Amino acid sequence: MQTEVLLGVTESVCPECLKRIPAQKIIDDDRVYLVKECPEHGIFRVLIWRGKPAYASWGNQKIPSTPTICATEVEHGCPFDCGLCPDHRQQTCCVVLEVTERCNLYCPICFADVKQSVKADPDLAVIESWYRMLLASGGPYNIQLSGGEPTVREDLPEIIRLGHKLGFEFIQLNTNGLRLARDPYYVEQLKEAGLNCVFLQFDGVSDEIHQTLRGAALMEAKVAALDHCAKYGIGVVLVPTLVPDVNISNIGAIIRFAIERMPHIRGVHFQPISYFGRYPDEPPATRMTIPEIIQEIENQTAGQLKMEHFRPPGGENAYCSFHGNFILMSDGELKPWASPQATKCCAKPGVAAEGAKNARRFVAKQWSAPTCGNCGDDGSTERTDRNNGINTDSLDAFLEQVNTYTLAISGMAFQDAWTLELDRLRDCLIHVVSPDGKLIPFCAYNLTARDGRSIYRKQAAPE
Ligand code: SF4
Ligand code: SF4
């Protein structure tokens, strides 16, 4: 008996040659596959959704918004015209600036194309030109300083200061945390420059996990980095890359670790491994999809966090991410911040650009350190009885602590050459500034063929 049903059609690329090819979404019971055929390289079939919530129930409609400024024309078709081009359906929310290709840790898995010997870092004048391009393109936006490993730069505080001076309110640092662990003075300088948030690579609570994924036992360094961020009042989001057979069973432990270190830890942002950068092999069939992560969160928190507490995004394409917001109560329990009823509102089509603006505001508020009088500014990450979760003694106390003791749990499933859906990509709101000053949706910028060839990463900066 045939159980497979055609759910819809889209376009993708061939993982071998990156040519644009038609694709079908096929549903078989609770699994959804992307199936595509390249005339030259054959058929590719990859799992994109497995389990509950059901694929069809997760979608939400948006009224597309064209980019504020289009730097490129539609010439070759998506994904080859990024700039952004007029076919893009979402405005920018968050911009990634790759401020170096250098790194102080050579992970077996890595998004960025870091190498041992690299070209010179973009200097401050180049970075200023990127900031100004963003202002001329509808900014300011939320900024992610990324790399390589941005903390290898001595002038990172100046880059942050310059961004704030030009009007960028929220600046986040993507880091492995090694420099933050061993150099508290550097952390202090980053804080003085106005750094709002550290997005800390954090794959689990054991050295074995870090050893497997990053090639080193890093737990002590992660804790030291967290202590220094707490001391200087910088909000931290833990960012685990989820790899089957390595750290999926650590999801609950990571969330508990984050709860213990609230309010300085502001969120946990899970990223199932995607296969680009230095990982161009054919992906294993055990790829982790969004519903499976949500299910693991429910299972590994003994049902304290439930599937219905998580919602699709309002900004990017619904199938790119999930999020749930929680408040820590005085008994140590996490309670959902939005009621399950609120989930139903997502069925209403919204204007895409409004979703991007809301996402920008939410991230800037939630991921920054709380401005409270009782969150351990002596540097301690231990909570006292006085500040252990929500104080409900009075309405004022309640409202103040609602702002402080919230934890955002989210995840994003990046698209690689196997899973790429151009419909999803056109809705992207996370954009990388290329060396030649164009805005490239993150998944297009990092897209590689199986042999590692990239569409956008190799573009040289103009002389
Ligand atoms: S991803 Fe967006 S900007 Fe890039 S080619 Fe497609 S529609 Fe244009
Ligand atoms: S970065 Fe990729 S997964 Fe995230 S919103 Fe953009 S297209 Fe979707």
Side-chain angles (χ1 to χ4, degrees), residues 362-428:
F362 175 80
V363 160
K365 184 167 186 302
Q366 174 61 34
W367 287 358
S368 298
T371 48
C372 67
N374 63 349
C375 41
D377 44 17
D378 60 346
S380 163
T381 54
E382 298 293 320
R383 286 192 305 275
T384 63
D385 286 346
R386 188 166 71 91
N387 62 13
N388 186 18
I390 291 289
N391 176 352
T392 51
D393 289 350
S394 71
L395 182 62
D396 283 351
F398 177 80
L399 291 177
E400 186 194 324
Q401 294 209 39
V402 158
N403 280 329
T404 306
Y405 285 96
T406 48
L407 187 73
I409 297 179
S410 54
M412 179 167 279
F414 294 119
Q415 305 184 82
D416 53 37
W418 283 268
T419 57
L420 184 71
E421 293 171 53
L422 296 181
D423 290 331
R424 267 179 69 187
L425 187 64
R426 279 196 285 270
D427 291 342
C428 182

Side-chain angles (χ1 to χ4, degrees), residues 136-209:
S137 307
Y141 303 112
N142 290 353
I143 297 292
Q144 282 191 25
L145 299 176
S146 191
E149 170 54 46
T151 62
V152 299
R153 284 188 74 140
E154 295 308 317
D155 62 351
L156 194 61
E158 285 175 65
I159 294 171
I160 294 166
R161 211 170 277 117
L162 177 64
H164 281 304
K165 191 174 134 204
L166 291 171
F168 293 84
E169 287 174 8
F170 180 80
I171 300 184
Q172 165 190 321
L173 168 64
N174 297 354
T175 178
N176 58 35
L178 293 187
R179 177 88 187 258
L180 309 188
R182 64 160 206 270
D183 191 350
Y185 177 62
Y186 188 74
V187 180
E188 185 179 11
Q189 287 181 302
L190 295 176
K191 174 63 182 178
E192 280 176 11
L195 181 66
N196 302 93
C197 169
V198 162
F199 220 47
L200 181 67
Q201 183 190 89
F202 189 91
D203 300 323
V205 299
S206 78
D207 273 338
E208 290 72 29
I209 290 172

Side-chain angles (χ1 to χ4, degrees), residues 6 112 117 125 147-148 182 193 202 215 226 235 271 302 307 314 317 341 379 383 457-458:
L6 176 65
S117 85
R182 64 160 206 270
F202 189 91
L226 283 164
Q271 297 177 340
M307 192 182 289
N317 187 285
Q341 282 75 14
R383 286 192 305 275
R457 268 202 181 275
K458 301 293 180 263

Side-chain angles (χ1 to χ4, degrees), residues 67 72-74 77-89 422 425-428 431 439-441 444 456:
T72 50
E73 301 289 329
V74 175
C78 189
F80 303 106
D81 294 327
C82 296
L84 301 167
C85 85
D87 270 357
H88 205 71
R89 302 189 304 204
L422 296 181
L425 187 64
R426 279 196 285 270
D427 291 342
C428 182
H431 302 150
L439 283 172
I440 319 287
Y456 292 106

Side-chain angles (χ1 to χ4, degrees), residues 172-367:
Q172 165 190 321
L173 168 64
N174 297 354
T175 178
N176 58 35
L178 293 187
R179 177 88 187 258
L180 309 188
R182 64 160 206 270
D183 191 350
Y185 177 62
Y186 188 74
V187 180
E188 185 179 11
Q189 287 181 302
L190 295 176
K191 174 63 182 178
E192 280 176 11
L195 181 66
N196 302 93
C197 169
V198 162
F199 220 47
L200 181 67
Q201 183 190 89
F202 189 91
D203 300 323
V205 299
S206 78
D207 273 338
E208 290 72 29
I209 290 172
H210 297 283
Q211 188 74 54
T212 305
L213 297 184
R214 308 292 169 181
L218 298 172
M219 207 48 214
E220 199 181 319
K222 300 291 177 184
V223 170
L226 283 164
D227 285 345
H228 295 153
C229 289
K231 177 170 182 179
Y232 293 107
I234 303 174
V236 179
V237 175
L238 303 182
V239 186
T241 299
L242 294 178
V243 182
D245 302 325
V246 179
N247 62 349
I248 305 303
S249 60
N250 217 236
I251 286 174
I254 294 168
I255 292 172
R256 283 188 288 281
F257 181 94
I259 294 169
E260 281 165 18
R261 285 160 180 78
M262 286 174 73
H264 302 292
I265 291 187
R266 310 297 300 150
V268 183
H269 187 69
F270 294 102
Q271 297 177 340
I273 187 169
S274 39
Y275 297 87
F276 40 45
R278 284 201 253 151
Y279 210 123
D281 295 338
E282 177 129 17
T286 51
R287 189 187 273 274
M288 193 81 176
T289 64
I290 282 177
E292 292 166 287
I293 301 172
I294 298 174
Q295 190 67 68
E296 288 294 338
I297 291 173
E298 179 171 319
N299 294 344
Q300 294 183 36
T301 57
Q304 193 186 138
L305 308 188
K306 295 189 188 309
M307 192 182 289
E308 59 263 31
H309 299 157
F310 293 94
R311 291 181 285 159
E316 60 271 31
N317 187 285
Y319 296 100
C320 285
S321 72
F322 69 89
H323 69 280
N325 303 317
F326 301 89
I327 307 177
L328 184 66
M329 308 305 285
S330 55
D331 62 1
E333 288 250 321
L334 274 192
K335 292 275 186 225
W337 181 222
S339 68
Q341 282 75 14
T343 312
K344 297 192 177 111
C345 300
C346 296
K348 263 179 27 190
V351 176
E354 281 307 308
K357 271 194 202 119
N358 291 340
R360 197 161 95 208
R361 280 190 220 113
F362 175 80
V363 160
K365 184 167 186 302
Q366 174 61 34
W367 287 358

